[in-house]
Amino acid sequence: MDLELRELYFQILEEELAELTDSRTGMLNAKYSKIIDCPLCKSPVGKQRELFVKRGFTFVRCENCGMIFVNPQVVPESSRERYDDSRANNLWVEIQESAKEQAWKKGYYAEQIQLLKKYIDKPTLNLIDIGCSSGHFLEISKKHQPEWSVKGVELNSKACYYATQKNLDVEQKLLSELDENQKFDVFTLFGVLEHLSDPLTILKDMKDHSKDTSYVLAIVPNAYSLYCMFLQSKSVSFDGRNHLLYFSGKTLHSLFQDNGFEIIHLDTVLTGLTNIKRQIQWLDPYESIDGTKYIPEEIRHFLESGEVEDLILQYNLGLRLRVLAKFEKNNEKNGERCSKNCKTL
């Protein structure tokens, strides 16, 4: 990962978040925000428990379904303004284009392609990557599976520019704005669902653009990763403006199952162990240093041997939740139970 660019990104993000707060209270300014019911089960505010406040944003958990989310939330004038007028969001695009970022994501994206191939027995697929940024996943897909037809939609104009310079089929649109006759076998959403105030809308949009049978592959931050449980409010995932929703395995499963999707596969990827090791040494978890110098010898070998990383993924405590779900137009209720291949979280 490009740590220098990421450090600058978070510095600019801090500045933009400060612009949204009320200088008198230090809290999110009421003129930029609204209070919402639970975005998953629609339980009212009275059923929400405050977990912590960070940079003026309040993070709550629904006591009915367990969903963690920001409340109140920033109300952008439009989705396009939110993603085009932000220096931080534009810099995030530059990070995605950096050589260091693309180097580690080659294997990461190749792994997602292998997962699709494992469960979808079709030689050719029409795939759309929602929130595709500058199109790196589309590039990897074309390289590994040239017989697939791949497309992307992305709101950020800088990201769209980079994607089109690579001769990728990317449009600066929402999925709902595509021609209704465009149907897809596979929808991918990498780091998208957590940005949406109403995730049910994107599920409906995918159904509208589904073939008779279609699949959704989504990856989101895991609120109950070992990483988040150790770092809690220190986790950079909790920013309040960009990340609005924080899923657990249970709530991500419910989101899809309760809306007509069958869960095919549910697990976690990545570990965040480097940050955890810094945290338990009383260091800044995001310092650009590695090592276990201050960790007691009794557990140092355990952390350095790879055993902990294996256990994190074995018990689905990884940094990111990954779900592959199936939708069949003629049988919307087939998502009522997880298949035998699904890992229960």
Side-chain angles (χ1 to χ4, degrees):
M1 298 183 183
D2 195 318
L3 296 178
E4 290 184 5
L5 273 181
R6 282 174 174 264
E7 185 176 340
L8 179 59
Y9 164 79
F10 287 113
Q11 177 185 325
I12 294 174
L13 179 62
E14 289 271 3
E15 295 171 1
E16 292 185 352
L17 293 176
E19 294 172 1
L20 297 172
T21 59
D22 186 326
S23 59
R24 298 169 301 168
T25 64
M27 301 297 290
L28 178 62
N29 197 314
K31 69 180 180 180
Y32 300 132
S33 65
K34 68 173 181 179
I35 296 173
I36 65 167
D37 293 337
C38 174
L40 184 60
C41 72
K42 305 305 178 184
S43 292
V45 174
K47 292 288 186 179
Q48 299 167 20
R49 179 175 180 174
E50 182 179 315
L51 299 180
F52 61 90
V53 175
K54 182 178 179 180
R55 301 190 194 95
F57 290 88
T58 304
F59 295 79
V60 303
R61 179 167 54 202
C62 176
E63 294 188 321
N64 181 49
C65 71
M67 187 73 198
I68 296 174
F69 55 101
V70 180
N71 203 16
Q73 295 187 351
V74 174
V75 182
E77 292 184 14
S78 74
S79 294
R80 283 182 173 77
E81 288 182 8
R82 177 179 169 189
Y83 283 94
D84 253 4
D85 291 346
S86 165
R87 289 173 58 218
N89 289 345
N90 285 334
L91 182 56
W92 189 253
V93 175
E94 299 292 345
I95 291 172
Q96 304 312 302
E97 281 295 288
S98 70
K100 291 180 181 178
E101 194 76 14
Q102 295 206 5
W104 82 265
K105 280 193 173 176
K106 284 182 181 179
Y108 178 70
Y109 284 146
E111 182 183 334
Q112 312 320 318
I113 293 168
Q114 290 305 309
L115 183 69
L116 291 172
K117 290 174 64 180
K118 177 180 178 180
Y119 289 103
I120 306 174
D121 186 20
K122 292 183 68 174
T124 60
L125 293 173
N126 288 330
L127 179 150
I128 184 165
D129 191 21
I130 300 169
C132 67
S133 188
S134 55
H136 193 206
F137 175 69
L138 299 178
E139 286 186 286
I140 301 297
S141 297
K142 290 179 72 173
K143 179 179 178 180
H144 284 263
Q145 302 295 136
E147 68 276 16
W148 290 3
S149 173
V150 297
K151 179 183 181 64
V153 286
E154 169 60 46
L155 292 181
N156 185 278
S157 58
K158 177 174 281 192
C160 284
Y161 171 78
Y162 280 126
T164 54
Q165 290 300 300
K166 302 170 188 175
N167 295 316
L168 296 170
D169 180 9
V170 173
E171 296 190 60
Q172 190 175 359
K173 291 181 176 180
L174 297 167
L175 175 63
S176 60
E177 295 174 331
L178 293 181
D179 186 282
E180 63 182 9
N181 293 318
Q182 292 193 60
K183 307 294 184 182
F184 302 95
D185 297 294
V186 176
F187 303 85
T188 55
L189 305 92
F190 302 129
V192 172
L193 289 175
E194 67 269 24
H195 293 256
L196 307 178
S197 58
D198 182 7
L200 304 184
T201 298
I202 193 67
L203 296 188
K204 178 184 180 301
D205 293 341
M206 287 189 288
K207 288 180 179 180
D208 290 343
H209 288 277
S210 290
K211 294 187 178 181
D212 289 339
T213 299
S214 292
Y215 297 82
V216 178
L217 176 59
I219 296 179
V220 298
N222 179 10
Y224 288 92
S225 63
L226 190 64
Y227 167 94
C228 278
M229 288 190 289
F230 261 105
L231 272 63
Q232 296 193 352
S233 63
K234 287 184 179 180
S235 168
V236 294
S237 289
F238 296 109
D239 68 42
R241 184 193 69 172
N242 291 344
H243 291 180
L244 306 176
L245 310 181
Y246 299 87
F247 292 94
S248 65
K250 178 183 176 182
T251 54
L252 187 62
H253 188 286
S254 295
L255 173 66
F256 284 94
Q257 179 178 276
D258 295 348
N259 288 282
F261 291 81
E262 176 188 1
I263 307 296
I264 302 298
H265 184 94
L266 182 57
D267 67 356
T268 64
V269 295
L270 307 177
T271 65
L273 186 58
T274 300
N275 305 91
I276 294 170
K277 287 191 289 189
R278 295 189 191 113
Q279 172 74 7
I280 62 178
Q281 293 178 86
W282 302 89
L283 299 172
D284 183 329
Y286 300 103
E287 280 188 79
S288 56
I289 59 171
D290 291 322
T292 55
K293 178 180 178 181
Y294 300 106
I295 295 177
E297 291 183 12
E298 293 81 358
I299 62 172
R300 187 180 302 162
H301 171 74
F302 186 53
L303 288 166
E304 294 177 338
S305 67
E307 293 179 71
V308 174
E309 289 188 324
D310 292 341
L311 287 170
I312 287 173
L313 297 179
Q314 179 183 343
Y315 290 100
N316 292 315
L317 296 171
L319 191 61
R320 299 282 183 267
L321 283 162
R322 175 173 64 176
V323 62
L324 177 63
K326 178 181 179 181
F327 172 71
E328 293 185 283
K329 283 194 172 181
N330 295 328
N331 188 19
E332 287 200 27
K333 293 185 178 180
N334 69 348
E336 293 182 357
R337 68 184 185 89
C338 191
S339 76
K340 65 180 180 180
N341 294 316
C342 171
K343 295 182 180 180
T344 302
L345 299 189

